Amino acid sequence: MKPLVNNPCYKNVYDVILDDNVVSSIKDLEGSDWLLNFRVLSLRNNYLTQVPTYALDNALQRNRNAGIVNLGNNPWTCDCLFTPSFQVR
């Protein structure tokens, strides 16, 4: 995920589909310009157990381009702190 944040060659990448990979975290995207401009983020069938829901909430409220966020079929850690904010969307 770091190239989306740090590499200027990826500045205009708006659709990221990384289904069926070994992605275990999207913390690197937190606070990035990419998160505020993306159209598609698909990370189905990976190794995500948590996502920074406050970062996604903020991005989705401010990003007028966001159309698709696919996070299904990951081994989520759903506890009392994580679940309520994750289910809101």
Side-chain angles (χ1 to χ4, degrees), residues 1-2 4 8-9 16 23-24 30 35 38 45-46 51 57 62 66 71 76 79 84:
M1 292 285 153
K2 283 185 181 184
L4 288 174
C9 293
V16 172
V23 178
S24 61
E30 193 174 335
L35 202 55
F38 78 94
N45 301 317
N46 278 283
V51 293
D57 283 345
R62 295 175 52 196
L71 301 173
W76 299 112
D79 57 27

Side-chain angles (χ1 to χ4, degrees), residues 5 7 9 18 23 26 31-32 37 43 45 48-52 62-63 73 75 77 84 89:
V5 178
N7 190 331
C9 293
L18 294 172
V23 178
I26 61 169
S32 70
N37 296 309
L43 295 165
N45 301 317
L48 296 171
T49 58
Q50 294 183 357
V51 293
R62 295 175 52 196
N63 182 346
N73 204 23
T77 300
R89 292 263 172 220

Side-chain angles (χ1 to χ4, degrees), residues 1-59:
M1 292 285 153
K2 283 185 181 184
L4 288 174
V5 178
N6 299 328
N7 190 331
C9 293
Y10 293 108
K11 182 178 181 181
N12 295 317
V13 172
Y14 298 108
D15 302 344
V16 172
I17 300 170
L18 294 172
D19 298 345
D20 304 306
N21 278 284
V22 292
V23 178
S24 61
S25 176
I26 61 169
K27 287 184 180 183
D28 292 335
L29 295 178
E30 193 174 335
S32 70
D33 289 336
W34 185 87
L35 202 55
L36 299 176
N37 296 309
F38 78 94
R39 295 182 305 199
V40 175
L41 175 60
S42 187
L43 295 165
R44 292 181 290 195
N45 301 317
N46 278 283
Y47 295 104
L48 296 171
T49 58
Q50 294 183 357
V51 293
T53 54
Y54 56 89
L56 281 180
D57 283 345
N58 186 36

Side-chain angles (χ1 to χ4, degrees), residues 53 78 82-89:
T53 54
C78 294
F82 176 72
T83 304
S85 57
F86 187 68
Q87 291 177 337
V88 171
R89 292 263 172 220

